[in-house]
Amino acid sequence: MLKERIFTFREIAIWTAILGSVVGYQLWQRADPAPLTMALPGIEQRS
């Protein structure tokens, strides 16, 4: 009887991407100041 793997490579890649994006978003929100949120208002005013 073959032992079935708990996770396939595809599932591991998907969960890594999800968890990585969540952690990255939280770190980006705590960045002071957040570079993107500071740049966007300046770009909008120039237009």
Side-chain angles (χ1 to χ4, degrees), residues 2-22:
L2 290 172
K3 187 174 182 181
E4 189 175 336
R5 287 191 288 177
I6 298 173
F7 291 111
T8 63
F9 177 75
R10 183 179 178 191
E11 290 173 334
I12 293 172
I14 291 170
W15 281 109
T16 302
I18 292 171
L19 294 174
S21 63
V22 169

Side-chain angles (χ1 to χ4, degrees), residues 28 33-47:
W28 178 68
L36 187 59
T37 55
M38 296 300 289
L40 286 176
I43 294 170
E44 290 176 359
Q45 289 176 356
R46 290 183 203 151
S47 301

